[in-house]
Amino acid sequence: MPAIAPLIPKDRFIGLESVAHLAVGGEAPMLKSHRDAVARFFADKGQGEPARELEFQRMNRVRARCGELLSVPARDITFLSSASAGINTVAYGLDWRDGDNVVVADVEFPSGVYPWTTLAPRGVETRIVRNRNWRIALEDIADRIDARTRLVVISHVSMFTGQRIDLPALSQLVRDAGALLLLDATHAAGVVPVDASLADFVVSSCYKWLLGVHGTAIFYWNRERVPDFRAPFLGWNSSARSGGWKNPVEFELHESADRFLPGNPSYISLYILDNALDTLLPLGIDNIERHALALSGEIRAAVSDKGWELMTPEADPERAGNVCFLVPDVEAFRKTLEEQGVLVWGAYASFGRVRISTHVYNDSADVARCISALASV
Ligand SMILES: Cc1ncc(COP(=O)(O)O)c(C=O)c1O
């Protein structure tokens, strides 16, 4: 196979000179130009009242580009503090009825599971779809859905197994059942195409594949499909017009998804995300996908040769940038690789899982280094 060059040169990132950074599924390395983005924020923030207008403008710029990224209208996107906050917004905003259920996979990220358990006192059941050899099958999701299923919650790409679900097929299944779909696109947005309009709600962290930092996460509300979804948490920023001191309880919610954002967002992380999108989007998500799949495919094949149990499916449409597999001692494994300058992610070590992730700054040399480190384990 011809050598694959990085889509973004490594010297545009901080600290990538001497390592093979294959841990973006946990934390992205930082673009050097993020320092300028932070400087832009600091300069804007010091300008007194005009600062707020500049901050809003920056947020709107990011919103427009997130709309492009997710193929949905920008006004239906807002920025909450984390993907977990977005999931909880859905949990607290839907009008649950006694006997409703939520369907979620056993390999889902904890934030996609725990919020539904708080609804148990209101008679809402959390139903678990079991994986088969680490794969979540659409048939098994369909089996758990019934007439009382209100919501199906799933990651577009699994943080735990690396599986990418067939979003159009799942969307059809959920819609045919009269239920809603909450999609966690944290391991998909920025590396594979995401059509958010196929879901009813989408959340995504921005500090991994989108190359941003913590404090800002995307929250998308499919207004066409769930126009009556209630904003559960309100504050000054949720309203477009307020009655002021004369009528303090009179206000009108924003038309846009900003109704779900009670206060200021994290502007500093929006300035950084703006810079990250300036860098990522011109590359084309299709190109990024091809790049990540080619590199992670080589790593997957090497893991398979070593005989470790693979969790990530082989076919390109069923995976993205993550390769996940099981080893007897995750911490020792991760450290052995780290000593050779190969950074991988070992969180959830107690489950025996390792995750190796490939993104825009990786190249064939990183993969070769990783494969030789794997051989030494
Ligand atoms: C699928 C998924 N969703 C969300 C998150 C992080 O969420 P938050 O933005 O709430 O920290 C992670 C982090 O690992 C994740 O893997």
Side-chain angles (χ1 to χ4, degrees):
M1 185 180 287
I4 298 170
L7 295 181
I8 304 176
K10 286 183 198 184
D11 63 6
R12 288 183 60 194
F13 289 83
I14 298 167
L16 292 199
E17 298 79 13
S18 59
V19 295
H21 190 298
L22 298 164
V24 71
E27 291 282 357
M30 291 287 88
L31 283 158
K32 290 178 180 167
S33 55
H34 281 346
R35 291 178 175 136
D36 302 326
V38 170
R40 278 194 286 278
F41 170 67
F42 287 167
D44 285 356
K45 190 169 186 319
Q47 295 196 26
E49 189 167 336
R52 191 55 64 77
E53 188 50 35
L54 294 170
E55 290 161 350
F56 276 143
Q57 278 171 12
R58 187 69 59 171
M59 172 159 69
N60 286 333
R61 187 164 191 269
V62 180
R63 198 196 316 266
R65 260 118 32 89
C66 287
E68 244 176 76
L69 179 76
L70 301 179
S71 305
V72 290
R75 67 171 191 159
D76 297 342
I77 288 172
T78 195
F79 300 101
L80 302 183
S81 59
S82 65
S84 305
I87 296 169
N88 277 281
T89 297
V90 176
Y92 283 83
L94 283 176
D95 57 333
W96 301 99
R97 289 174 291 254
D98 189 7
D100 284 348
N101 65 68
V102 182
V103 171
V104 61
D106 57 0
V107 291
E108 191 53 52
F109 186 61
S111 299
V113 182
Y114 301 165
W116 324 114
T117 66
T118 68
L119 303 169
R122 292 163 67 183
V124 177
E125 181 196 356
T126 304
R127 292 189 167 185
I128 305 296
V129 181
R130 291 287 166 196
N131 75 83
R132 283 195 245 177
N133 294 324
W134 304 113
R135 270 185 93 257
I136 295 296
L138 285 189
E139 311 85 85
D140 293 334
I141 297 176
D143 269 357
R144 301 299 283 146
I145 294 176
D146 67 11
R148 294 306 309 274
T149 301
R150 288 296 301 290
L151 187 69
V152 175
V153 183
I154 197 147
S155 288
H156 196 173
V157 173
S158 170
M159 63 96 201
F160 192 57
T161 70
Q163 179 188 358
R164 173 167 29 158
I165 49 129
D166 179 345
L167 182 57
L170 178 66
S171 172
Q172 196 59 51
L173 173 77
V174 173
R175 284 181 186 180
D176 289 349
L180 300 171
L181 179 61
L182 165 53
L183 186 76
D184 185 335
T186 294
H187 287 267
V191 62
V192 295
V194 178
D195 181 353
S197 69
L198 294 172
D200 297 289
F201 305 98
V202 176
V203 298
S204 179
S205 307
C206 298
Y207 61 89
K208 302 173 188 277
W209 303 88
L210 287 171
L211 304 183
V213 295
H214 319 92
T216 282
I218 298 170
F219 180 77
Y220 163 69
W221 161 50
N222 191 332
R223 159 204 313 270
E224 305 291 319
R225 296 244 321 144
V226 268
D228 299 330
F229 176 63
R230 190 182 64 92
F233 310 116
L234 298 183
W236 67 270
N237 187 67
S238 323
S239 84
R241 261 176 300 282
S242 121
W245 66 269
K246 286 189 182 156
N247 300 298
V249 292
E250 269 185 34
F251 57 90
E252 234 175 83
L253 290 179
H254 276 298
E255 266 298 294
S256 76
D258 276 352
R259 62 176 59 187
F260 304 111
L261 175 64
N264 279 302
S266 167
Y267 294 114
I268 190 166
S269 46
L270 283 168
Y271 277 63
I272 291 172
L273 182 58
D274 184 42
N275 183 56
L277 293 173
D278 271 349
T279 311
L280 275 180
L281 291 183
L283 299 173
I285 296 296
D286 291 343
N287 290 330
I288 298 176
E289 177 187 27
R290 266 194 297 279
H291 179 82
L293 281 174
L295 295 175
S296 61
E298 288 182 40
I299 289 172
R300 192 188 174 285
V303 169
S304 170
D305 288 347
K306 282 286 288 184
W308 290 305
E309 183 179 342
L310 271 159
M311 305 165 95
T312 309
E314 184 173 9
D316 283 2
E318 287 193 82
R319 59 187 186 85
N322 289 333
V323 176
C324 304
F325 53 101
L326 301 175
V327 296
D329 183 344
V330 174
E331 214 20 47
F333 182 98
R334 193 188 64 73
K335 283 198 178 125
T336 303
L337 265 64
E338 192 178 270
E339 279 157 18
Q340 298 173 64
V342 177
L343 309 184
V344 302
W345 201 260
Y348 298 100
S350 60
F351 300 110
R353 186 220 54 168
V354 176
R355 183 176 61 212
I356 303 185
S357 309
T358 52
H359 205 12
V360 285
Y361 42 77
N362 292 124
D363 59 9
S364 291
D366 290 337
V367 170
R369 193 168 175 183
C370 175
I371 291 174
S372 107
L374 292 178
S376 76
V377 175

